[in-house]
Amino acid sequence: MNSTLYARRKLWNGLFLMLSVMAAAFGLIWLGFILGALFYNGFAAISSKLFVQMTPPPGEDGGLANAIVGSIMMSMIAVLAGTPLGLFAGTYLAEYGRYTRLAFFVRFVNDILLSAPSIVTGLFIYEIVVVKMGHFSAWAGAASLTVIVIPVVVRTTENMLLLVPNGLREAAAALGAPQSSVIRAVTWRAARAGIVTGVLFAIARISGETAPLLFTALNNQFWSTDPNAPMASLPAVIFQFAMSPYEDWHRLAWAGALLITATVLTLSIIARVLQPKRSH
Amino acid sequence: MADIALAEQMSSVPERAAAVRKGGARDSRFRFLTLCAALLVLAIFGGVMASLIIGALPAMQHFGWSFLYSEAWNPVTEKFGALASIYGTLVTSLLAMIVAVPVGIGIAIFLTEICPRPLRRPIGIAIELLAAVPSIIYGIWGLFIFAPWFQENVQTWIVDTLANVPYLQDFFGGPPYGIGIFTASLILSIMVLPFISAVTRDVFETVPPVLKEAAYGLGCTTWEVMWRVVLPFARSGVVGGAMLALGRALGETMAVTFVIGNAHHIQKSIFAPGTTISATIANEFTEAVGDLYLSSLIEMGLILFFITFIVLASAQLMLRALERRAGSAS
């Protein structure tokens, strides 16, 4: 009687532990499949032309130069605009308003924005920028990416500032430093690695963003660095090319996909290595 | 002697006072700046809401509530209803959660209990990379690699096997296109796995070791400890993580757009093509002509925002409550 009970419990135990090993294998296998297919198809399509020629009409040779430059330009504008805003907002949450009702509310809304559908961000910018300007533009694309950058930076900045021991703040304040100097010279400096991590995560997040760009920056078949005009971006070009029936466009889409993924994975791995361990 | 020292001090008082005033002024300027940035976050949120509502007004006035339950989608006659898209959004997300929740919890159990210590960090990071891979990559992979493979090797077989089974033939019937609701759901489930497993693992780690040790001391197996002690303790965190993942799945655009087939009908079979709110907007927004068409798409955006807001807000509240508990325990 007892021995069958033991045997049954051992059996269940073994069964479920095996299932959880299989769950981990399930996740890792998909990651392997996706990266494998991406490298296989992407590397076959990568050539030096990719970086110097423009996106071609179907049936012709070409590259992705305008899309690469467009993606870099819009991401840079978004990071340059979003980082300071996110940094200040995160600083308010961690340093000034830590326990206030306003901070609680901002934190709540920020976390919703962090996971809100990015396509809705695109609609928002379409309404307030594209409709007002009367045309699609890289400014609008960058603005929609900024809206995605801000919550990421706010969240990581706040988390990282909260990790800074209060003793440091008190020591600086005891020397007579005004609070703003304490924050800038001591807390920010102590949390620098973490804040940089947040910015890297934000860059990684926006470099693959497609949905908000579709109806803000639109796309552009030609070379353009004018932020007032529609601009090509890697994700938008991949979307257009992959959905098309043309073989050579598909190849370019794979090459673009590989470029984006390589960038994003490198950034997120660097960010993870830099990330300070949580201490609890 | 004392007088001299006092005199010296007196002379520096105005300077010090000036320095303090300057510092104070700089302080309040800086504080104001950070406050403005914090308010900007609220302004963005309010702006999103307001712009969607204003944009959706024409469609709301024209269709009223019928927009929510009409399946019509005809740009030529300008008859629009969101039902097919709402249905697709809910069904794909639900199916994705059915796969992702148990697998995500399994991964968390693996990472906290079974995995050898040196491998925990690398495997954990690898799983989290699934979340870092941009959604458009899932889309292109799903369209070119997964859907054709699935169509040839799995779908045909399932359709044939279940062709004469009552009920099941409805849900798994129809021509095997490869793309459709099921493929979209499966890809979504892979995408949201890391959200569930990361949150679940973090919550598992907050379970006091004493509880687990006590259970082991009574002779429990690892599985019994996980199922009877750790999971009940971590329940609200696991649910919060699942809600977070659900919020992501509901709003996911690119991965779904590639593989769902963009068909505005509701069909019984989960192998049939369908559409979701985000896929419809992504596919049709730039081509939409006419104010009513655009406005209908924006109203769908509003519906999506509303649904995800509720899901994400409840996820936040659950996880917040948990954080407070963890904070007071330590």
Side-chain angles (χ1 to χ4, degrees), chain A residues 9-10 12-13 16-21 23-24 26-28 30-31 33-35 37-38 41 84-85 88-89 91-93 96 102 104-121 123-124 126-128 136 147 150 154-155 178-181 183-184 188 204-205 207-211 214-215 218 234-236 238-239 241-243 250 253-254 257-258 260-261 264-265 268-269 272-273 277-278 280, chain B residues 23-24 26-27 30-31 33-35 37-45 47-48 51-52 54-55 99 102-107 109-110 114 121 123 125-130 132-138 140-141 143-146 149 186 189-190 193 202 206 219-224 226 244 247-248 250-254 257-258 278-279 281-283 285-286 294 297-298 301-302 304-305 308-309 312-313 316-317 320 324:
Chain A
R9 287 175 58 203
K10 268 179 101 168
W12 277 115
N13 186 42
F16 280 105
L17 293 188
M18 203 174 74
L19 281 179
S20 67
V21 174
F26 179 83
L28 293 177
W30 288 120
L31 182 69
F33 269 168
I34 292 169
L35 294 184
L38 193 63
N41 290 292
L85 292 172
F88 281 132
T91 305
Y92 178 81
L93 296 180
Y96 287 113
L102 175 70
F104 176 82
F105 199 55
V106 171
R107 228 171 260 140
F108 183 77
V109 165
N110 187 68
D111 282 356
I112 300 238
L113 286 178
L114 195 62
S115 308
S118 58
I119 193 153
V120 171
T121 313
L123 290 177
F124 166 55
Y126 174 85
E127 287 280 312
I128 65 161
F136 298 103
V147 173
I150 291 174
V154 172
R155 179 103 305 270
Q179 199 177 357
S180 57
S181 310
I183 292 170
R184 276 177 301 190
W188 277 0
R205 174 89 193 272
S207 34
E209 264 316 332
T210 319
L214 292 176
F215 27 85
L218 204 65
L234 273 176
I238 295 173
F239 181 52
F241 280 19
M243 293 296 239
H250 290 173
W254 276 115
L258 179 61
I260 289 185
T261 315
V264 170
L265 292 190
S268 9
I269 291 175
R272 247 164 253 276
V273 172
K277 278 246 179 90
R278 270 189 288 175
H280 64 67
Chain B
R26 219 184 319 146
D27 244 12
F30 188 74
R31 188 195 164 104
L33 211 62
T34 61
L35 177 67
L39 291 176
L40 181 77
V41 174
L42 295 182
I44 290 175
F45 184 78
V48 171
S51 69
L52 288 179
I54 293 170
V99 178
V103 175
I105 295 176
I107 291 176
I109 294 178
F110 175 79
I114 305 171
R121 211 166 133 76
I123 291 184
I125 288 182
I127 297 285
E128 276 167 36
L129 283 187
L130 278 174
V133 173
S135 67
I136 191 162
I137 307 300
Y138 283 95
I140 187 172
W141 173 80
L143 179 68
F144 288 135
I145 310 288
F146 181 75
W149 173 83
L186 194 69
S189 72
I190 302 168
L193 258 190
D202 288 352
T206 65
C220 287
T221 62
T222 309
W223 168 249
E224 284 162 349
M226 294 312 288
L244 200 64
R248 289 285 175 140
L250 288 166
E252 179 47 53
T253 310
M254 296 324 289
T257 306
F258 274 95
S278 47
I281 300 175
N283 269 320
F285 197 83
T286 46
L294 267 185
L297 288 170
I298 294 175
L302 181 64
L304 177 66
F305 192 63
T308 47
F309 175 81
L312 292 172
Q316 291 312 324
L317 293 178
R320 280 279 146 66
R324 269 203 298 279

Side-chain angles (χ1 to χ4, degrees), chain A residues 14-252:
Chain A
L15 186 71
F16 280 105
L17 293 188
M18 203 174 74
L19 281 179
S20 67
V21 174
M22 277 164 62
F26 179 83
L28 293 177
I29 283 172
W30 288 120
L31 182 69
F33 269 168
I34 292 169
L35 294 184
L38 193 63
F39 284 117
Y40 178 78
N41 290 292
F43 272 122
I46 280 201
S47 67
S48 54
K49 274 190 232 151
L50 216 57
F51 303 98
V52 291
Q53 294 191 1
M54 304 303 123
T55 45
E60 279 177 41
D61 236 17
L64 295 166
N66 50 341
I68 296 173
V69 170
S71 269
I72 294 176
M73 265 187 73
M74 286 191 282
S75 304
M76 257 172 60
I77 298 174
V79 169
L80 288 179
T83 305
L85 292 172
L87 180 66
F88 281 132
T91 305
Y92 178 81
L93 296 180
E95 301 287 338
Y96 287 113
R98 204 183 280 192
Y99 302 108
T100 59
R101 192 163 294 171
L102 175 70
F104 176 82
F105 199 55
V106 171
R107 228 171 260 140
F108 183 77
V109 165
N110 187 68
D111 282 356
I112 300 238
L113 286 178
L114 195 62
S115 308
S118 58
I119 193 153
V120 171
T121 313
L123 290 177
F124 166 55
I125 297 295
Y126 174 85
E127 287 280 312
I128 65 161
V129 181
V130 178
V131 172
K132 292 279 178 300
M133 287 173 80
H135 57 87
F136 298 103
S137 68
W139 285 128
S144 66
L145 295 180
T146 310
V147 173
I148 297 170
V149 168
I150 291 174
V152 181
V153 178
V154 172
R155 179 103 305 270
T156 39
T157 304
E158 193 202 352
N159 283 349
M160 294 307 149
L161 290 179
L162 289 179
L163 289 183
V164 176
N166 271 332
L168 278 183
R169 296 187 182 95
E170 284 158 11
L175 290 175
Q179 199 177 357
S180 57
S181 310
V182 175
I183 292 170
R184 276 177 301 190
V186 179
T187 355
W188 277 0
R189 197 164 292 179
R192 190 164 46 193
I195 295 173
V196 171
T197 309
V199 176
L200 289 179
F201 273 129
I203 301 176
R205 174 89 193 272
I206 58 170
S207 34
E209 264 316 332
T210 319
L213 292 177
L214 292 176
F215 27 85
T216 51
L218 204 65
N219 201 341
N220 192 337
Q221 205 190 325
F222 307 104
W223 176 262
S224 164
T225 51
D226 175 12
N228 237 331
M231 190 179 270
S233 61
L234 273 176
V237 168
I238 295 173
F239 181 52
Q240 184 199 353
F241 280 19
M243 293 296 239
S244 78
Y246 311 111
E247 265 312 306
D248 40 353
W249 272 18
H250 290 173
R251 269 212 316 283
L252 281 174

Side-chain angles (χ1 to χ4, degrees), chain B residues 221-284:
Chain B
T221 62
T222 309
W223 168 249
E224 284 162 349
V225 172
M226 294 312 288
W227 185 245
R228 302 260 170 90
V229 178
V230 174
L231 263 180
F233 188 90
R235 193 171 41 212
S236 62
V238 176
V239 176
M243 298 285 268
L244 200 64
L246 179 61
R248 289 285 175 140
L250 288 166
E252 179 47 53
T253 310
M254 296 324 289
V256 173
T257 306
F258 274 95
V259 295
I260 193 140
N262 203 30
H264 285 277
H265 321 286
I266 297 177
Q267 279 163 332
K268 249 190 197 166
S269 170
I270 57 169
F271 285 159
T275 190
T276 66
I277 293 178
S278 47
T280 306
I281 300 175
N283 269 320
E284 302 183 18

